[in-house]
Amino acid sequence: MYVRVEDVKEGNVLLNDVMHKASEPLMAKETVLTNWHIKILKAFLIDEVDVGEGASIGIVTESGTHTDKEKPKADVPVDKKVDFFKSYLQSVEEYKKEFQKWQAGASIDIVKIREITLPLLDEMLIDPEVIREISKYTEKESYCYHHSVATGLLSGAIAAQLNYEKGFIVQAALAGVLADCGMAKISPHILLKETSLTEREKKEVNEHPFLSYKMVKDINLLKPETKLAVFQHHERTDGSGYVNGVKAEKLLPISRIVAIADVFHAMTAERVYRKRQAPFKVLEMFRQDFFGEFDLSVVKALTELFTKLSLGTSVQLSDGGVATILFMKQQNPTRPLVQLEESKDIIDLEKRRDLHIEQVL
């Protein structure tokens, strides 16, 4: 039954898709309408919708019952997330000890690296949302240790989002953790430098993928493609990367995953000589400024990891304002429809290019 949006009630259920100007529905059939949905319909100037009573198909949102198709996702308890980050910080410390051993000439203890990485990876696969917080915990003085652990977790998360099987996910995570192991062979003076590198120093740093490969090439527990990903993690699909400047056809899927995980964490983490950038802003840069450098399917998977936000999620905008998400857009998920907390104004971030989401609260 079509009714005017002004007369729609919370708990009503859409009987047909609500279409707007895009090819994708603004709101899908069988959506249980809440006050947030009704605000969205009004914001998009929808006059009427085809709805039925929620109770008639077993859906009463106020009483807490839901359809089988849209069961609420249980929130992971806060203490569980605290435990995860305690484990993460401990893993960073353990990785630091291994890195210092490599600096002293020791070979990689792959069993120890697995012990550092895999328990965290398993926890993250249970609750993928924790990956959104990783960059916040990076201490700039210990950046290189955080970066390796975080790149490993990001690589595993992306592989999981792309629906690879568990063995591949594990290998992607290990490739991410070990991608920068060759930095242990770089002059400590360069690693600790707080100002821009000279051309000679940049050239030395750019050798680290080759040095990393030398350190992992004889490890039996790593697959050949994992070792190649360590070597290729600074290559780009358009051939603009290094060491060899190879293009997409020579880049394995695991190499493409580690490459984007490496750059994403580097840009979103606090560093001694550079401020962190907002994850949503960096995701947009992958789609625009870096277009052609990274595999689009991997960019999409990374974007989905960070934009799986439910209606009602609070976010801080780049101007310092706090807003609530009203509607996530499939075609442009980094720029949802939001409502300002203070003024109650509704803003379409797709149109307000001067603003972006700074962080999820």
Side-chain angles (χ1 to χ4, degrees):
M1 177 178 66
Y2 278 89
V3 299
R4 292 179 58 80
V5 170
E6 288 78 4
D7 299 323
V8 172
K9 297 178 181 179
E10 191 172 20
N12 287 160
V13 182
L14 289 178
L15 301 181
N16 282 297
D17 292 339
V18 177
M19 304 302 294
H20 194 242
K21 295 179 181 179
S23 58
E24 296 287 339
L26 172 66
M27 212 169 287
K29 173 173 75 171
E30 298 183 4
T31 295
V32 184
L33 296 178
T34 66
N35 284 330
W36 296 115
H37 292 101
I38 295 169
K39 287 180 181 178
I40 294 166
L41 293 171
K42 291 178 179 178
F44 277 85
L45 304 178
I46 303 299
D47 293 325
E48 58 181 21
V49 290
D50 189 10
V51 297
E53 294 293 332
S56 67
I57 55 174
I59 305 175
V60 185
T61 55
E62 292 183 355
S63 69
T65 59
H66 298 253
T67 61
D68 289 339
K69 289 187 178 182
E70 195 176 23
K71 290 182 179 177
K73 180 182 177 182
D75 289 332
V76 176
V78 173
D79 59 341
K80 288 282 188 183
K81 292 187 177 182
V82 171
D83 288 344
F84 175 86
F85 287 108
K86 283 182 179 177
S87 299
Y88 164 76
L89 293 174
Q90 181 61 41
S91 292
V92 171
E93 284 301 310
E94 292 299 317
Y95 178 87
K96 178 179 179 180
K97 293 176 185 176
E98 296 305 302
F99 189 90
Q100 290 171 338
K101 291 177 184 176
W102 305 335
Q103 287 180 308
S107 58
I108 293 174
D109 181 349
I110 191 60
V111 173
K112 180 64 178 177
I113 295 300
R114 287 173 64 91
E115 289 175 356
I116 290 171
T117 308
L118 300 192
L120 271 180
L121 178 66
D122 287 339
E123 289 185 52
M124 185 207 65
L125 293 176
I126 293 171
D127 177 22
E129 290 184 10
V130 296
I131 202 67
R132 293 205 295 258
E133 307 291 320
I134 286 287
S135 295
K136 294 181 183 178
Y137 287 80
T138 301
E139 301 159 321
K140 58 185 179 181
E141 297 80 7
S142 304
Y143 167 78
C144 68
Y145 315 123
H146 281 271
H147 180 63
S148 292
V149 176
T151 299
L153 293 176
L154 277 165
S155 298
I158 295 168
Q161 183 66 31
L162 287 166
N163 294 317
Y164 281 104
E165 47 87 23
K166 183 64 180 294
F168 183 97
I169 294 170
V170 168
Q171 291 291 313
L174 292 174
V177 170
L178 292 170
D180 280 354
C181 64
M183 295 293 280
K185 307 304 180 184
I186 302 296
S187 168
H189 164 74
I190 295 176
L191 297 181
L192 298 172
K193 192 173 182 182
E194 297 185 11
T195 56
S196 299
L197 300 180
T198 65
E199 287 303 316
R200 184 191 63 78
E201 290 168 337
K202 286 180 183 178
K203 185 175 180 181
E204 183 175 346
V205 169
N206 288 354
E207 288 292 312
H208 80 270
F210 175 67
L211 298 173
S212 296
Y213 178 75
K214 285 180 66 177
M215 292 174 66
V216 304
K217 67 183 179 65
D218 295 323
I219 299 176
N220 293 329
L221 288 177
L222 295 178
K223 292 187 175 181
E225 54 267 35
T226 306
K227 299 171 186 178
L228 188 56
V230 168
F231 181 63
Q232 291 185 332
H233 73 281
H234 279 290
E235 300 289 2
R236 301 291 179 256
T237 56
D238 61 359
S240 63
Y242 65 91
V243 179
N244 289 332
V246 297
K247 292 188 177 182
E249 61 271 14
K250 293 186 177 180
L251 293 176
L252 298 176
I254 191 171
S255 300
R256 302 177 189 207
I257 289 171
V258 177
I260 198 168
D262 174 70
V263 174
F264 182 79
H265 181 260
M267 295 182 70
T268 57
E270 191 81 11
R271 304 176 72 170
V272 171
Y273 58 88
R274 190 170 69 197
K275 292 283 187 181
R276 71 186 296 269
Q277 299 184 65
F280 275 58
K281 187 67 175 177
V282 174
L283 290 172
E284 290 184 357
M285 292 173 72
F286 280 124
R287 293 158 61 102
Q288 299 166 14
D289 301 12
F290 304 152
F291 184 80
E293 294 185 34
F294 298 94
D295 186 299
L296 288 177
S297 66
V298 182
V299 172
K300 181 181 179 182
L302 177 64
T303 302
E304 289 171 348
L305 278 173
F306 280 79
T307 58
K308 285 182 179 177
L309 304 177
S310 57
L311 301 184
T313 298
S314 293
V315 296
Q316 181 181 344
L317 302 179
S318 53
D319 65 352
V322 176
T324 302
I325 290 179
L326 295 181
F327 180 67
M328 296 297 296
K329 302 179 180 181
Q330 291 184 351
Q331 297 301 318
N332 203 348
T334 58
R335 293 196 162 271
L337 194 72
V338 301
Q339 183 177 42
L340 297 180
E341 186 178 86
E342 189 171 331
S343 67
K344 304 304 179 185
D345 290 341
I346 293 176
I347 294 178
D348 185 350
L349 291 179
E350 193 168 9
K351 296 177 180 177
R352 285 291 303 273
R353 307 304 293 190
D354 57 312
L355 293 174
H356 63 264
I357 292 176
E358 187 69 26
Q359 63 176 324
V360 178
L361 301 176

